[in-house]
Amino acid sequence: MANLVAENLSYSYLAEGQVALDKVSVEIIAGTMTALVGPNGAGKSTLLSLLKGHHKPDKGEITIDGNPLRNSRSQVALMPQRGRLNWNFPITVEGLVSLGRVKYAKSTCCELEAALQRVGISALAKRRLDSLSGGQQQRALLAKTLMTPAKIFLLDEPCAALDPPAREDFLLLMRQLADAGASVFISSHDWGTSLNAYDKVVALDKTVLASGTPEVVKEKLDSISCMHGNYCCG
Amino acid sequence: METIAVVDFYQTFATWWLIPFCVILFTGVLCPAMGTVLITHKRLLQVNLISHCVLPGLALAIALGAPPSIGGVISGLLGAIAAEGLTNKKNENYEAIMNTILAGSLGLGVLLVPLLGIRIDLESVLFGDLLTANFGDLLRTLISSLAFIGLMFFAYPKLVHIGLDPEGAVESGIKVPFLNLALGLTTALVIVSSMSAIGVILVIALLSAPALIGLQKAPSLWVAMARSSILGLIVSLLGFLLAIVFNMSPGPLVAVLCILLIGILPSKRKN
């Protein structure tokens, strides 16, 4: 069980001279599933990257159970956006999942099998990645993420490009992970009905616009015109 | 006794076809294996740049009295570094700049030959001259084979990770620029060592075509490399035999056979 707290995070991209995040505070509690919603360019991926420790915030602090993130980075795992991967690479599902092991230590077959079983794709272990459906590929990527010893899972738009049934299946899987004690933080474009699947929602557009239960956030968002229509993909 | 053995060895290798045969054998296996890694890393354009950058180094090395292959590897490596710099900066004109540099490098090489007053058989450098391959060519091929095997032995899982998810590899703490440089150096070695067999310009065909077939449905990178190497070996030996039978140049023949090989490639829609 691990809780992650980020306070007043600010971050700018030097090259573009743009403020990506401004005084963002979030709390990710163990055993819960939190959604991070916002339009394109809202800073969702940047925030996840800061929470994983890939970049250092210009201002603010990130702690895990009261300890600075730099001392507990192994407790956080980030599942990247699917577009980042070369899905045509010659590798099987089990090959991809094995890469999730820290420093390429030899993974035992039990660890590998457990990760595959957890996401329900044991039968696909020997299949090549490019022969899988989008939903199966996402599950394989999640299994790779589960190979790490992390307790806090950050997922960058895992439901993008999934059809509604596959999206529901995936969120169910996430719920099981949270019920097992993990802290799950999922970024999404979708702030439609699927937000109800989460315990908590954080709406972001460079700064936190709203935070709380799905109902509370939806109410708040209704009063913020910039989040309507044009950006909404849900 | 030892003298007799050395003489026997020399006489065996003095058989005119044996060294060219060994050179094409190693080149036919090595180039497609290297090409498989490069295709999966989406680095074929960089390879083209390296191969075009070899010529100025060769010319300068000959003018300075240094071994030409070392000059070729150094200028090829400089090309690899330039390519790496362009890739890292994510320049939007990347392809256009890269193509200009590769054409310019070849032009520079061609200009250096008369300017430095040296003699280089440009045709054999660019398109290969396998039937005149000597022991030095064989040695270079063996050295580049060892370099490639070493790279695979020490960095295979990391290269798989980089090919699959380059950003993720950086985030995992893999020294991606260093490994890309090692890949560039090995590529430069492979290209220079293939010079006598197929030439620095035509080598791109042997790096690409067998690898494209070998990658089809391969469950892992090493299986793809093995399949590509077998195909490359068949094409190279066929080219070598046809060249002898029809008294033609083996390098261009192998390149043409590579086109035929692409003909059997199943069409695949881009995801």
Side-chain angles (χ1 to χ4, degrees), chain B residues 5-23:
Chain B
V6 169
V7 169
D8 280 351
F9 176 82
Y10 179 77
Q11 281 175 345
T12 306
F13 269 82
T15 309
W16 72 269
W17 56 267
L18 196 55
I19 286 182
F21 177 79
C22 291
V23 169

Side-chain angles (χ1 to χ4, degrees), chain B residues 51-91:
Chain B
S51 69
H52 283 71
C53 284
V54 164
L55 188 59
L58 282 176
L60 278 171
I62 291 172
L64 295 169
S69 52
I70 291 178
V73 169
I74 290 173
S75 61
L77 188 62
L78 289 175
I81 292 168
E84 199 53 43
L86 283 170
T87 316
N88 284 343
K89 283 177 189 162
K90 291 180 181 166
N91 194 316

Side-chain angles (χ1 to χ4, degrees), chain A residues 78-89 91 96-97 99 129 137-138 140-142 144-145, chain B residues 40 42 160-169 171 271:
Chain A
L78 172 65
M79 180 174 140
Q81 284 185 26
R82 57 174 286 112
R84 210 176 78 169
L85 267 77
N86 173 9
W87 292 101
N88 291 321
F89 194 87
I91 194 165
L96 169 77
V97 177
L99 286 178
L129 279 188
Q137 286 179 341
Q138 287 298 76
L141 201 50
L142 178 63
K144 175 182 177 263
T145 312
Chain B
T40 54
K42 301 181 193 298
V160 168
H161 203 156
I162 295 170
L164 184 69
D165 179 11
E167 284 180 53
E171 290 163 4
N271 284 338

